[in-house]
Amino acid sequence: MINKKTLADQAFEKIRKQILSGEMSSGDELPEKRLAAEYGISRTPIREALRKLAAEGLVTISEAKVALVANFTEEDGLQYLEIRELLEVYNLDVIPEPDEGMLDELDQNLNKQHQAILRDRYDEFIDLDQRFHLLLAAPNPNPKLQDLISSVNTGVNRAFLGLSGRLRLSAMEAYEEHERLVRFLKMGERESAKDEMRHHMRGIRQRMRGYYREER
């Protein structure tokens, strides 16, 4: 049974974790009645959680109110990556020089990323990866850009569902790319940081294509 916090939020976190870890696959049905019984709560917070997951693009809800784990294709992932590269390179171009507090937060996040990989906690890594990119966007005075970066990060991460057995290598490569990017920021090398972000996006694209090629 889910302990009190906000029942809808806890249901959201639990279902989201199951989707991001690959425990729930694309197309799986998410009946409110079954989930409510499984989590020991009423259907109302389940319904709220499913709506929130739909807003993130992780769940689709039909006109008949049937909720399914969203289907996510290679093409979807590549389109999100194209948008991410444009947004995130631009973000590094316009944010002010990172201060000590921001760099410290990035270092802490990197350490947690590494620990999550070592513990095979890829659901945690995905959240930390998204948080890392939001930390980079935090100094940007345009909150709409921050929202867009958050949204496309969720979309790209969905492309790795069903591939959790191969995520160790992918996560470690992404972590190392993040680490190099932060190193350039610390040295004040803005152009090198932007180049590393482009390299990071292209690395994700290459890994994604490779995974889908193997799946076929």
Side-chain angles (χ1 to χ4, degrees):
M1 181 169 180
I2 297 178
N3 294 324
K4 281 193 175 180
K5 180 183 178 183
T6 299
L7 291 177
D9 285 346
Q10 291 218 17
F12 164 81
E13 289 168 7
K14 188 172 181 67
I15 299 168
R16 184 176 185 271
K17 179 180 175 181
Q18 288 178 290
I19 293 173
L20 291 175
S21 68
E23 189 178 337
M24 291 180 176
S25 303
S26 296
D28 282 358
E29 193 169 336
L30 301 168
E32 292 176 12
K33 185 176 180 180
R34 177 178 63 77
L35 291 170
E38 183 180 335
Y39 300 161
I41 57 177
S42 73
R43 294 172 66 168
T44 299
I46 295 293
R47 193 173 302 123
E48 290 178 29
L50 292 174
R51 280 199 294 263
K52 189 174 178 183
L53 288 160
E56 276 204 0
L58 296 176
V59 165
T60 59
I61 301 175
S62 70
E63 290 183 10
K65 306 299 182 188
V66 176
L68 302 171
V69 177
N71 186 39
F72 197 88
T73 67
E74 178 182 7
E75 185 179 7
D76 292 328
L78 294 174
Q79 288 171 354
Y80 275 117
L81 276 168
E82 183 179 2
I83 298 167
R84 270 191 74 184
E85 183 171 343
L86 291 170
L87 290 173
E88 299 211 43
V89 172
Y90 170 75
N91 177 67
L92 288 177
D93 199 33
V94 299
I95 60 172
E97 204 64 37
D99 61 22
E100 210 170 296
M102 176 183 172
L103 292 173
D104 185 55
E105 280 192 272
L106 288 168
D107 279 339
Q108 290 180 43
N109 180 280
L110 284 170
N111 182 58
K112 290 176 182 177
Q113 285 182 39
H114 194 229
Q115 292 303 313
I117 294 167
L118 294 179
R119 292 184 291 114
D120 291 332
R121 290 300 305 269
Y122 299 110
D123 57 311
E124 287 183 17
F125 176 82
I126 285 169
D127 286 340
L128 289 163
D129 178 290
Q130 186 175 30
R131 175 65 182 156
F132 176 84
H133 288 273
L134 288 178
L135 284 171
L136 291 173
N140 195 302
N142 185 345
K144 299 296 184 187
L145 185 133
Q146 295 178 35
D147 290 344
L148 285 169
I149 288 176
S150 176
S151 176
V152 293
N153 263 274
T154 300
V156 171
N157 289 333
R158 279 283 288 119
F160 291 97
L161 298 187
L163 303 167
S164 56
R166 303 181 187 89
L167 270 175
R168 175 184 283 276
L169 177 60
S170 172
M172 185 59 76
E173 288 175 345
Y175 161 74
E176 290 169 352
E177 289 157 5
H178 291 161
E179 195 175 38
R180 285 195 297 271
L181 196 155
V182 171
R183 196 180 312 137
F184 285 129
L185 289 176
K186 287 179 177 178
M187 293 188 294
E189 297 184 11
R190 185 73 62 106
E191 290 303 314
S192 295
K194 287 163 58 182
D195 286 342
E196 184 59 39
M197 180 65 83
R198 291 187 188 96
H199 173 74
H200 179 45
M201 293 296 119
R202 288 163 192 170
I204 298 171
R205 186 180 295 115
Q206 185 176 21
R207 292 189 286 271
M208 188 183 297
R209 281 176 169 152
Y211 294 153
Y212 278 105
R213 202 157 43 238
E214 287 179 29
E215 288 293 293
R216 289 195 291 268

